[in-house]
């Protein structure tokens, strides 16, 4: 969907006009109060659930969570997935043509924040005639957007469902992002971000970035369980090939990612992660930052998530409780680290399903 | 010191002749039984303690541990530091000229293992007239060498002092190594390892490798304490410069490292780390692997070391106890992660000092 109204960004820059690619599932009811917005994290898109005709492999990134009979049941809710600004799956981003120059935005695409994305999503909601979401939901960076909705548009969100998230990145989180960005920026095919017109892609940098990411998405135990020290060769080969299964796995993940993801988008989205810190405007006081929120909350964390550990989710829960908000918090004992939010962990899915049952009951009542 | 006798390596390759750069501190006693061998980890060298004349900045890497009045007191012990084969500080490695070709070894330098290093160190001991070490000591990869001494040369080591180590890398440890190696190998200045003759250095790759390493050496809490989310700019700059202190720190560490460290050495030494696994020949049974050991042991681990956690040290301790070995184990509550082994943590230094006091008493007795 095309927006011609300029968007003022947190940086002070302005996007004159932009496209937001979105997808919907189910039907908006007559009261227009059963809409659920699903926000994506680093590498996902508007394609949340289901498959496109003729593309059986392109399954939605949260298909186990959203769909008919799923925890977020599209027979009961009208679900919207939207690709964020700066991303590379159809919404305006660095790969798009800047109408002012007739060339790719490239490095000139402005740095966008979680708050900017929420503003753009609110514009989309306006156009779709949705005054108030039954829920805004996301995992990881997606959950930051859901949280930010409760602060930026407290009257437009009934429920916030925030999975595997944190009120702000730690120094270690930022450090991992910075290493990934350094790998991308130092790839000679990056050309300062203006690689599109040169017909090259900084694949080596993207590959390294994704490999680093993957290590932080899995838990140490999970990697031990999945790969251990298993070799793909009968014995040590005394070389630098992919001898250990874990090396082969990471190389494969890196290769796959470098085929479809945009390097400038990687920089932009990790920066949005770094910058997210609603308490910053209040001297670090998360209670004050969350004071405007009116929504009800479901927060979920996973015990082996060392990227955004349960302690970080509890920080949000405590700030909400101090503000008198209604909060359900589930800390799920799951072995899969940060990635658990995308996996079919039964207790986690049951908790989300039960929460959405209650939302449906509220709407029916 | 030059060795003309060929060294048979674990890989089946053979080094026809080689140089070992070493340094000594103190005086070997008449009984020749007070020698302590210090083994280095990834990026260190034979220069363990003290300063060279006219180079006051080049302080030894373990100067707080080794020296007159230090826990390993060079007034009481004859201490030897040796640069390992494949490293880049004077011993034969990829930067050296291969006498067979008259050119740099480069990528043709054979993959070496912890066991190979120990064999080379034993050759050095022979030449120095040391039949049996009072102690072999190291931290991290250095400690793996000390452990391997007890298995390979049980009669030649009285005490093994192993700090912040593990009996084998985990999948996650290998994964971090592989990402670092990928960054180096994909640097176009790497030229498959044969960059010396081209007058270039794969600095970008080394920089990324070092940045990744640094994250794993520090604890999450330590990084939070040291850097938190502090900015170097008055406010968010909405760009990709080093805005956060932690970004600036990592970039600086990466730059420094890329100025002095050799990329092929980085590959070789991380591979030696990956391969170390004495239990592997015994179907994973560490008790059997350590059965030959006769030494007495001091093991130290640090609570916030998430690279080689205390649980891994305890695995070694337990296997030694089952074998009836005499073991002192200190688990130090320190905030500095893996790096703690290089730092001036008083309880840790007191434990090592007390242990060496006992060794000195044994020698005197």
């Amino acid at each position: 969907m095309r927006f011609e109204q300029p968007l003022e960004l947190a940086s002070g820059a302005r996007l004159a006009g932009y496209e937001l690619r979105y997808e919907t599932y189910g039907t908006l009811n007559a009261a227009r109060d059963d809409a659920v917005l699903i926000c994506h994290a680093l590498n996902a898109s508007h394609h949340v659930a289901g498959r496109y005709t003729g593309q059986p492999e392109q399954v939605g990134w949260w298909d186990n969570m959203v769909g008919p009979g799923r925890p977020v049941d599209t027979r009961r809710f009208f679900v919207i997935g939207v690709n964020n600004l700066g991303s590379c799956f159809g919404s305006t981003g660095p790969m798009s043509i800047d109408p002012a120059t007739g060339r790719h935005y490239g490095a000139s695409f402005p740095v966008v924040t979680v708050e900017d994305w929420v503003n753009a999503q609110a514009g989309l909601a306006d156009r779709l005639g949705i005054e108030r979401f039954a829920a805004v939901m996301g995992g990881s960076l997606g959950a930051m957007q859901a949280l930010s909705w409760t602060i930026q548009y407290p009257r437009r969100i009934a429920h916030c469902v925030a999975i595997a998230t944190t009120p702000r990145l730690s120094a270690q989180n930022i450090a991992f992002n910075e290493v990934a960005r350094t790998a991308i920026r130092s790839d000679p095919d990056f050309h300062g971000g203006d690689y599109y017109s040169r017909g090259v892609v900084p694949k080596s940098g993207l590959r390294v970035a994704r490999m680093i990411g993957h290590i932080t998405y899995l838990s140490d135990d999970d990697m031990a369980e999945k790969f251990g020290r298993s070799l793909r060769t009968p014995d040590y080969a005394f070389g630098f090939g992919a001898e250990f299964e874990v090396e082969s796995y990471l190389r494969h993940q890196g290769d796959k990612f470098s085929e479809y993801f945009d390097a400038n988008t990687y920089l932009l989205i990790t920066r949005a992660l770094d910058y997210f810190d609603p308490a910053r405007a209040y001297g670090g006081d998360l209670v004050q930052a969350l004071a405007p929120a009116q929504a009800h909350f479901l927060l979920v964390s996973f015990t082996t998530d060392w990227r955004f550990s349960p302690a970080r989710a509890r920080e949000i829960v405590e700030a909400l409780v101090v503000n008198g908000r209604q909060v359900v918090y589930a800390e799920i004992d799951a072995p899969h680290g940060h990635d658990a939010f995308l996996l079919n962990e039964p207790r986690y899915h049951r908790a989300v399903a039960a929460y959405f049952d209650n939302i449906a009951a509220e709407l029916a009542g």
Side-chain angles (χ1 to χ4, degrees), chain A residues 230-303:
Chain A
S230 299
L231 293 172
R232 299 177 65 243
T233 43
D235 201 347
Y236 290 160
F238 298 98
F240 298 103
E243 290 177 31
F244 290 94
E245 290 288 358
V246 68
E247 294 179 301
S248 169
Y249 170 81
L250 285 179
R251 288 187 188 190
H252 176 70
Q253 294 297 333
D255 287 345
K256 242 176 36 179
F257 188 68
S258 73
E259 294 291 333
Y260 76 84
F261 206 76
D262 178 59
N264 282 313
T265 292
Y266 202 96
L267 301 193
L268 286 169
I269 296 193
T270 54
R271 208 44 151 176
L273 271 161
D274 292 350
Y275 281 171
F276 181 69
D277 183 8
R280 187 166 174 268
Y282 303 93
D285 185 343
L286 191 61
V287 173
Q288 276 189 62
L290 286 167
Q294 297 299 318
H296 293 185
F297 289 80
L298 169 63
L299 277 103
V300 180
S301 72
F302 301 97
T303 47

Side-chain angles (χ1 to χ4, degrees), chain A residues 3-34:
Chain A
F3 293 77
E4 295 302 345
Q5 175 108 3
L7 186 71
E8 307 289 341
L9 302 174
S11 65
R14 136 195 308 214
L15 267 181
Y18 55 95
E19 180 78 25
L20 282 184
R21 181 72 66 91
Y22 72 101
E23 216 167 284
T24 67
Y25 317 88
T27 318
L28 187 62
N29 65 9
R32 312 181 85 80
D33 63 2
D34 66 344

